[in-house]
Structure formats: structure tokens, C-alpha cells
Amino acid sequence: GIPGERGQYNGKVTLLVVLSCVVAASGGLIFGYDLGVSGGVTSMDPFLKKFFPNVYRRMKEGTKISNYCKFDSQLLTLFTSSLYLSGLVSSLFASTVTRVFGRKASMLVAGVAVLIGSALGGAASNLYMLVFGRLFLGIGLGFGN
């Protein structure tokens, strides 16, 4: 078009457009919600006892605990950041998958990844299941967005 010229588009706001916007916005909500959950759950004694016993022991033994570096655990940091990192990396690949295979394939990958991540997280009996569950949830978020 000519610079400065405004085009007339006959696009309509359909149910599909609204649902697409809701799904995109939900990705941000889920990341924010997860930040609160992972921050809250990592300070709960039962969670730390089961998955991070060394962190729990250090927390209970330490009389002077800095809020800045309360846990000092690389594994706990891996747990909390795994969802964000996998979401970031998978969103980089999602555009290529969408361009080559279409939106349905991307949404199918997103849905399957979220189901796998939820199942692993819900059934987690050790730290690795927990981290892999969060990785799959991040892949689902990256592809879904």
C-alpha cells in the first residue's frame, strides 16, 4: 500500500477470533499463576521434606536465614525455572511447526504436552518426575501461545 493510506478491512470479530485472544491471554495468566504457585509451594514444609530434604534440613537448622538466598539450591532453582525456560524455547520452535504443519498440529502438540506434564506432575514421586512434568507444561504453554 501507499504510506499514510489507510486500508479498509472487512475482517469481523468472530467467535474464533475471541477464543484465540482468550487462549493467548491465558498463557500469560498461567505463567503468572505458576509463579505464585511455585513460590508458595517451595516454602511449604511437606513439599520440601519430600522433594528437597537437604533444603528443608538447612532451613530448619539455620538460625539466620536471608530472604534473598533462603534456599540456596540449584535443583530447586531448576524446578522453579524449568517451566519458563521450556516455554521460551518451545515458543521459538512453535512458529516453525505452525508454518510448516499448520495451527492444528501446534495445538495438538500443546494439548498433548500439557496432558503429559499434568500427569507427571500429579504422579510425581521424585524430583525428576516433577521437573519433567514442568518441562512438558512449558512446552504446552509455548506451543499454545
Side-chain angles (χ1 to χ4, degrees):
I2 300 170
E5 183 180 313
R6 293 185 182 195
Q8 185 68 304
Y9 300 102
N10 294 326
K12 296 179 183 175
V13 178
T14 63
L15 181 62
L16 183 60
V17 171
V18 170
L19 288 176
S20 297
C21 292
V22 168
V23 168
S26 297
L29 288 174
I30 291 170
F31 274 115
Y33 174 77
D34 183 73
L35 180 64
V37 168
S38 62
V41 88
T42 56
S43 62
M44 296 172 63
D45 288 349
F47 176 79
L48 290 173
K49 282 180 189 175
K50 182 172 183 173
F51 294 107
F52 300 96
N54 292 335
V55 172
Y56 177 76
R57 189 172 46 256
R58 280 197 318 262
M59 237 177 67
K60 292 301 176 187
E61 292 171 355
T63 55
K64 183 182 177 198
I65 296 175
S66 166
N67 283 333
Y68 179 71
C69 192
K70 186 175 181 178
F71 300 113
D72 191 26
S73 169
Q74 291 176 344
L75 285 176
L76 189 56
T77 303
L78 174 68
F79 164 73
T80 56
S81 58
S82 58
L83 179 114
Y84 312 115
L85 292 174
S86 65
L88 171 69
V89 171
S90 66
S91 67
L92 297 174
F93 290 104
S95 61
T96 303
V97 171
T98 303
R99 187 177 66 249
V100 174
F101 298 106
R103 290 179 300 197
K104 288 182 182 178
S106 289
M107 294 310 291
L108 181 64
V109 169
V112 169
V114 167
L115 286 174
I116 291 170
S118 298
L120 282 172
S125 60
N126 61 45
L127 177 62
Y128 299 105
M129 286 178 73
L130 204 59
V131 170
F132 279 112
R134 287 180 59 83
L135 288 172
F136 275 103
L137 286 174
I139 290 168
L141 287 173
F143 272 84
N145 284 335

